[in-house]
Structure formats: C-alpha cells, structure tokens
C-alpha cells in the first residue's frame, strides 16, 4: 500500500491517509479487492469506510472478486444510501491488463451501468 501511495505522490497525484477522505466529492469510485470480507471492510469500516463519505448519486464500480450474494447485498446497501453500485469484476492476468486485453463482466441496475459506462 505504501509503495503505491509513494508512486502516486511522485506522479503528482493527490494522496490521503484514508479511503473515506479519498472518495469525498467523487462522482465515481473504483475498488478492486480480493474478496467479500475485504470489500465489506472498505465499505463499512467504522473509521475509514467509504460509504459514509460518498456523495449522493455517486457510482461505485467494484472490480473486486466477490460472491454474487455479497454483490447483491452491497448493491442494496448502496441503494439504501442513494448511491449506485456496479459489479464489474475484471478477467485478466497482470500481463493481460498491461497489454490492455482485460475484460469486464458488468452487472447492476441499468441506470448504474449506463452511468458507469464512460469509466469502464
């Protein structure tokens, strides 16, 4: 994590100490984590969870590897807070991503997918 932050700072990108601060005011938030539990923590951690600081109407694009049940639960939680959720797991190895040969499988409410399309 620190290495990624250092590289971002070297490139002149803004960095912050918490995910919830990073998403403030964002129209789109993209996450990519390995499983249900990690995404749940990113969303709901009492101190750094992003859902508490996402602005109304923001679109969360989750490129995470989560179960269908978790994706449905997260989508409902987003909807309850006036947020949009798009499940968009990525299918590619690191070399495929580097070669721009990755694919997404996208799911969610049609309006959320339409909103997310320019980012995807």
């Amino acid at each position: 994590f620190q290495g990624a932050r250092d590289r971002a700072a070297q490139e002149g990108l803004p960095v912050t100490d918490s995910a919830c601060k990073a998403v403030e005011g964002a129209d789109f938030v993209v996450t990519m984590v390995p499983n249900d539990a990690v995404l749940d923590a990113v969303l709901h951690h009492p101190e750094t969870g992003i859902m508490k600081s996402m602005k109304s109407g923001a679109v969360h694009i989750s490129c995470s590897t989560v179960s269908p049940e978790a994706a449905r639960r997260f989508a409902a939680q987003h909807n309850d807070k006036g947020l949009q959720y798009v499940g968009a797991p990525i299918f590619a190895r690191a070399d495929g991503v580097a070669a721009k040969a990755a694919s997404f499988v996208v799911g969610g409410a049609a309006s959320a997918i339409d909103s997310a399309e320019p980012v995807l």
Side-chain angles (χ1 to χ4, degrees):
F1 173 74
Q2 188 61 43
R5 286 186 52 170
D6 292 344
R7 285 190 304 276
Q10 289 170 357
E11 294 294 324
L13 298 170
V15 294
T16 184
D17 291 331
S18 73
C20 67
K21 288 180 185 176
V23 304
E24 288 176 351
D27 294 321
F28 299 95
V29 174
V30 179
T31 57
M32 188 179 291
V33 298
N35 59 49
D36 299 3
V38 176
L39 184 54
D40 188 65
V42 167
L43 296 174
H44 302 296
H45 186 277
E47 294 174 20
T48 61
I50 65 173
M51 284 189 65
K52 67 181 177 184
S53 60
M54 288 176 67
K55 73 178 188 178
S56 181
V59 180
H60 174 201
I61 302 168
S62 175
C63 300
S64 306
T65 302
V66 297
S67 69
E69 296 80 16
R72 285 190 287 275
R73 184 175 70 249
F74 296 142
Q77 292 166 348
H78 281 67
N79 189 55
D80 290 346
K81 295 196 176 276
L83 305 169
Q84 299 181 75
Y85 179 88
V86 174
I90 189 169
F91 289 90
R93 296 186 326 227
D95 58 343
V97 172
K100 298 181 182 177
S103 298
F104 290 97
V105 174
V106 181
S111 59
I113 293 170
D114 288 345
S115 296
E117 189 173 350
V119 176
L120 294 170

